[in-house]
Amino acid sequence: MQTTTKHSPFLLPGIILLGAVLRIPITSIPPVLSQIAHGLHIPVASLGVLTTLPLLAFAIFSPIAPIIARKFGIELTFIGVLLLMLVGSIIRIISTPFLFIGTLLVGIAIAQMNVLLPTLIAANFPNKIGAYTSIYTFTMGLMTALFSAIAVPIVLATNWQTLIILLSCLVIIALIIWFPNIRHNHLLAPKGLGTNSVPSAWKNITAWYLLIFMGLQSAIFYTSISWLPTIAVAHGISSNTAGLLAGINALISLPVSFLVPNIIAHANASKRRIFVISVSLFAIISFIMLIFANDSFIFWLILNLFNGLATGALFPYLMTSFGKKTNTPAETAELSGMAQAGGYLIAAVGPFLFGLGYSTFHTWTVQTIVLIVVTIIMMICALLVERKEKVFD
């Protein structure tokens, strides 16, 4: 498949809206789980799986995104994905079983978007991968932070179904804006051994390094957002302050998510390695601080700033690398699908194992040391990836 700069004027607004709905249908739910449980007359503990289902969907269904895009084309596939997301989102208000079914469908839809957004950008803007990646990663972060802040007030003022309906309306808007883009539909090259075919990422050692990096950075991110507030409260920080710190952690990642893709897209290998080491050190410092945690607000503020900078930089670095380190959109889809399939499988167990560590050792220290080791392994994998300019060369 050839890349092209010919596209609909609705492509940029469409990319912005894809970024807007890329996370909020699932990230807006955890803050209001207790209200949902109360409305459904079920124990809140029974809804805990709602936070794990999307990650499992990411892991299981990411590999099928390139297959669908090869058959129907990238832009047309997004129509189907948005329709699936809309159906999954809105049926959640029907009943408890549909809440779980809908969450799974939303997770499947987001899995396809995770893989195909870097592919879409590689196909339409091959020389501006950094700039357009920054647009959707920034929008994703902004909307995630915004809806995390307003989800509870909306539910308290109305009910949890209203929040779901509002989220579904945003998906409808994204779908409407996206329709004109199917006029310039990109079909991916076939997978195989032919001249124009795409090699298998599963047989490529550099792709495996990227998969491990993907999994470990995601595990670090989801473990951090899941447990840092809890650990802060355990050391004497109030719940309200812990929530404020979590918000700061999320907000500091916004400018980072906007700047990093452009930096990575124009950096040489040496500068990319320096970037990887620097960002990893921010994460390591935050975890070392966690071992010596106390009840000081300034201490936790610095810890969350370092952690937010690190986790906020790693994801856009990864998304940019999918396009930067491949030669064609078909290769981008193959690499992205493979890395995210294995990566999210690793990420799904991260928060669970961290919590299990506390139940086993009755301390946060042991699993925090493991996080430091995991961060070092993640950094090494990224450095190994950076030995090559292109994964499939």
Side-chain angles (χ1 to χ4, degrees):
M1 181 192 75
Q2 298 294 317
T3 56
T4 177
T5 55
K6 187 177 182 181
H7 51 76
S8 159
F10 288 88
L11 184 58
L12 178 56
I15 290 173
I16 292 172
L17 284 165
L18 289 176
V21 299
L22 190 59
R23 287 292 182 270
I24 57 172
I26 55 174
T27 58
S28 303
I29 301 305
V32 296
L33 278 181
S34 58
Q35 289 88 350
I36 295 175
H38 178 75
L40 294 172
H41 308 292
I42 58 175
V44 69
S46 64
L47 297 180
V49 71
L50 289 178
T51 59
T52 306
L53 267 179
L55 288 176
L56 292 176
F58 296 171
I60 296 169
F61 293 96
S62 291
I64 71 171
I67 298 171
I68 297 172
R70 279 195 290 269
K71 184 173 180 62
F72 298 104
I74 304 170
E75 284 79 3
L76 186 58
T77 297
F78 273 109
I79 293 292
V81 167
L82 286 168
L83 283 170
L84 179 64
M85 177 181 282
L86 177 60
V87 171
S89 179
I90 198 65
I91 67 172
R92 292 183 291 181
I93 67 174
I94 298 174
S95 66
T96 303
F98 277 102
L99 177 62
F100 289 99
I101 294 169
T103 299
L104 179 61
L105 294 179
V106 169
I108 294 171
I110 293 176
Q112 311 309 297
M113 293 170 68
N114 283 338
V115 173
L116 293 179
L117 262 170
T119 311
L120 174 77
I121 290 170
N124 287 280
F125 309 103
N127 299 316
K128 297 180 180 179
I129 288 173
Y132 283 87
T133 301
S134 69
I135 289 171
Y136 84 78
T137 56
F138 176 81
T139 307
M140 181 192 76
L142 178 64
M143 293 298 287
T144 299
L146 175 63
F147 270 81
S148 294
I150 66 174
V152 173
I154 288 173
V155 172
L156 292 179
T158 55
N159 52 51
W160 68 270
Q161 289 93 340
T162 300
L163 175 65
I164 298 293
I165 291 169
L166 177 59
L167 292 168
S168 302
C169 287
L170 289 174
V171 179
I172 291 173
I173 294 171
L175 183 61
I176 292 170
I177 295 299
W178 193 256
F179 264 106
N181 294 317
I182 63 175
R183 290 178 54 203
H184 304 284
N185 192 33
H186 290 79
L187 290 168
L188 294 181
K191 187 174 179 179
L193 299 174
T195 305
N196 297 318
S197 61
V198 182
S200 172
W202 295 98
K203 299 178 181 179
N204 186 300
I205 186 62
T206 304
W208 275 96
Y209 292 141
L210 195 62
L211 182 154
I212 297 170
F213 171 82
M214 162 81 201
L216 297 184
Q217 71 87 21
S218 296
I220 290 167
F221 170 73
Y222 286 107
T223 300
S224 295
I225 62 172
S226 298
W227 288 105
L228 283 184
T230 301
I231 300 172
V233 170
H235 284 86
I237 299 296
S238 70
S239 296
N240 287 338
T241 303
L244 172 64
L245 290 165
I248 292 171
N249 189 308
L251 287 173
I252 194 66
S253 70
L254 288 180
V256 175
S257 67
F258 187 77
L259 294 172
V260 166
N262 285 295
I263 293 172
I264 295 303
H266 297 96
N268 58 30
S270 176
K271 290 179 179 177
R272 292 196 300 269
R273 285 192 287 269
I274 293 171
F275 171 85
V276 166
I277 293 170
S278 302
V279 170
S280 299
L281 285 175
F282 277 121
I284 290 170
I285 291 170
S286 74
F287 296 138
I288 291 174
M289 290 180 68
L290 203 58
I291 296 173
F292 302 97
N294 54 53
D295 62 354
S296 166
F297 173 78
I298 298 299
F299 176 92
W300 281 98
L301 176 62
I302 295 171
L303 188 155
N304 275 276
L305 287 173
F306 282 163
N307 186 271
L309 282 170
T311 56
L314 290 170
F315 180 76
Y317 163 78
L318 176 73
M319 291 294 107
T320 308
S321 295
F322 288 140
K324 184 73 175 175
K325 290 194 170 295
T326 49
N327 299 295
T328 66
E331 289 185 359
T332 305
E334 172 69 11
L335 179 63
S336 179
M338 176 265 197
Q340 295 194 51
Y344 279 116
L345 196 59
I346 297 171
V349 301
F352 169 75
L353 291 179
F354 194 88
L356 182 63
Y358 186 80
S359 300
T360 303
F361 302 109
H362 305 292
T363 177
W364 303 107
T365 303
V366 175
Q367 57 270 42
T368 301
I369 293 172
V370 172
L371 268 183
I372 294 171
V373 174
V374 163
T375 306
I376 294 171
I377 296 172
M378 176 204 72
M379 178 182 69
I380 292 170
C381 286
L383 293 175
L384 290 171
V385 169
E386 291 300 349
R387 291 188 307 177
K388 295 179 66 176
E389 282 297 320
K390 301 292 183 179
V391 170
F392 294 105
D393 286 348

